[in-house]
Amino acid sequence: DPESEVIIMSRKLNKLDGSYGGVVLAAIDPKYFVDFFDSVSRGENHFMSIALSDGTVMVSGPEKNASNLALQKLLTEKATDLTKEKSFKPYFATQDGVDKVFANNRLGSFPVTVSIALDSRDFLSSWKNNQFKDLLFLTIFLLFGTALSLFAVTMEKQIKRVQRSEAAAVLASQTKSEFLANMSHEFRTPLNAIIGFSDMLLATYFGDLNEKQKERVHDINLCGNHLLQLINDILEFSKGEAGKLELREELVEIAQTIEECKRMMREKLNLKHISMTAQLDQDHPALLGDARKVRQILLNLVSNAVKFTPHNGSITVSSYVDDAGFLRLSVADTGIGMAEADIPKAMSVFGQVHRNQSLEGTGLGLPLCKIFAELHGGNIYIASTVGVGTTVEVSFPPERILSSADIAKMREDAYAFDDQGLLPLADDENRNG
């Protein structure tokens, strides 16, 4: 561009013999220096210049304000004083109460000095920003570290508290087990005598009995065995909580089990004039399970029904196979019922919804039924309405239902019927009990 200003530079050239060889000229657009200055500029208050050794400023900038003009003058004066030096170390000077950083450098053997001045505030701005970030990170780290330390201390206290609670629970469990073991021994001794004497009476060791006497002695024997089984159930409940219960699988006749329960509950049913009826098909299938535990389930459910059914009420025991193949054994009463919100309490250990209306029971009946049902692979369900009644249903999975062919197969495997069901021939204890 012919109208733009340029910097003209020349240099004489000599030949190898030292004679004159010509002149080299160069025209440089100052815009390149300006672009260079802009590329290395920092902050708002800075100044750079290129000056000759006599102090003539060739290029300078930026001249934004009076402060920069004064800075230019100070820088030029300083550069003029030091033109004899090839380069200078950075130095500081104060202008208008603000520290400035100055640097000058002469370009080799050329009489040209490049000077730069920076405001210390701009020069240190990035360091201050980084310092602020570092301080912020350190603050966050300290806060997080403090919170983490408090959390760790709290967790340590909680773990120690849990460990103490576990130790106390283990000690309580051991104490409970020892108490149950001792009490079961104390109860079993007189009960075994009652069962033994009733067995002797039924066997006519002391003479013949009439039909009424036989019936009552049989009931005494049955109730004695049941009470002994209740004691065992308490121990079994402890085993169930520990997952150590086992099934003694045998054939269970549901109709016979219902009849046994009815006989054992007859006195209580008659006392309150409660009718108990059974509803099941004539060809109702048998069940493969633990006969004593199934009977205990039914006795607990019927006992609860009698307990909370008013005089002249009714209890219906039914059993059927549903569409999914599950055998369902249910006990429905016309008792006082309970609210739906109270059902979880009734299913809890030692939980009694109507404790003020009945002092009977320990609150283990329904939880024990649930354990026995789950042990067979089934479950227990409760539906109840206040003032209408309660229905409790226990389910057994399809694989426990025995067909006629299954029963025949079991007979072939050395099983035989007696008056209490299908029992192993070698099991003398079951055959006699």
Side-chain angles (χ1 to χ4, degrees), residues 179-423:
F179 171 78
L180 291 176
N182 293 331
M183 291 303 297
S184 63
H185 174 73
E186 296 298 328
F187 283 136
R188 281 171 176 170
T189 301
L191 279 175
N192 284 330
I194 294 173
I195 295 170
F197 289 143
S198 62
D199 284 337
M200 294 175 66
L201 290 173
L202 287 174
T204 66
Y205 276 92
F206 306 106
D208 294 333
L209 302 176
N210 60 39
E211 292 302 320
K212 287 292 183 180
Q213 290 172 332
K214 286 183 179 180
E215 187 176 344
R216 291 297 178 261
V217 173
H218 179 77
D219 289 343
I220 292 173
N221 184 275
L222 196 61
C223 290
N225 278 288
H226 175 60
L227 184 56
L228 182 60
Q229 291 165 5
L230 283 177
I231 296 171
N232 292 332
D233 287 341
I234 296 177
L235 296 176
E236 285 183 340
F237 185 82
S238 299
K239 291 180 180 179
E241 287 183 319
K244 296 182 179 180
L245 271 180
E246 295 181 356
L247 290 178
R248 177 179 291 176
E249 294 187 342
E250 52 194 320
L251 185 140
V252 182
E253 293 283 1
I254 299 298
Q256 180 177 322
T257 304
I258 294 174
E259 185 59 30
E260 289 176 354
C261 293
K262 186 175 181 180
R263 289 185 60 185
M264 297 177 68
M265 298 298 300
R266 180 169 49 197
E267 292 298 330
K268 290 185 177 181
L269 290 168
N270 292 339
L271 185 64
K272 298 180 70 174
H273 303 286
I274 296 174
S275 63
M276 176 177 169
T277 57
Q279 295 180 355
L280 64 164
D281 298 333
Q282 189 173 3
D283 58 347
H284 190 280
L287 181 70
L288 179 64
D290 192 313
R292 189 176 65 81
K293 289 180 174 58
V294 174
R295 183 170 65 245
Q296 186 61 50
I297 290 174
L298 189 57
L299 276 172
N300 285 346
L301 298 183
V302 174
S303 177
N304 280 346
V306 172
K307 189 189 307 181
F308 298 111
T309 298
H311 287 70
N312 301 315
S314 63
I315 298 174
T316 303
V317 181
S318 60
S319 182
Y320 65 96
V321 178
D322 64 13
D323 295 337
F326 284 80
L327 188 147
R328 295 185 175 271
L329 179 63
S330 70
V331 176
D333 63 56
T334 58
I336 58 178
M338 58 182 167
E340 184 176 355
D342 291 329
I343 293 178
K345 181 180 179 181
M347 292 298 300
S348 64
V349 179
F350 302 117
Q352 291 180 313
V353 177
H354 303 294
R355 186 183 297 272
N356 60 335
Q357 299 184 29
S358 176
L359 299 177
E360 299 179 13
T362 61
L364 288 176
L366 288 177
L368 195 58
C369 289
K370 180 176 175 62
I371 289 177
F372 287 166
E374 291 176 347
L375 195 61
H376 284 84
N379 211 331
I380 186 170
Y381 309 92
I382 299 178
S384 186
T385 304
V386 177
V388 177
T390 301
T391 299
V392 183
E393 193 171 73
V394 179
S395 67
F396 297 93
E399 56 267 21
R400 290 198 169 273
I401 298 177
L402 297 176
S403 63
S404 300
D406 295 327
I407 297 174
K409 178 68 168 57
M410 293 177 70
R411 286 174 178 171
E412 294 175 0
D413 292 338
Y415 280 77
F417 281 101
D418 67 4
D419 59 344
Q420 292 194 13
L422 192 62
L423 302 173

Side-chain angles (χ1 to χ4, degrees), residues 148-164:
L148 188 62
S149 300
L150 292 175
F151 177 75
V153 172
T154 304
M155 284 299 297
E156 183 181 6
K157 292 181 179 178
Q158 186 67 21
I159 290 173
K160 290 182 179 179
R161 189 180 300 114
V162 171
Q163 289 175 342
R164 290 194 296 267

Side-chain angles (χ1 to χ4, degrees), residues 23-57:
V23 177
V24 176
L25 296 176
I28 302 175
D29 189 342
K31 178 177 178 299
Y32 292 107
F33 294 102
V34 174
D35 292 341
F36 168 74
F37 293 153
D38 290 339
S39 67
V40 298
S41 64
R42 181 186 296 271
E44 295 293 331
N45 301 304
H46 65 276
F47 186 82
M48 289 174 282
S49 68
I50 299 177
L52 298 177
S53 58
D54 60 359
T56 303
V57 177

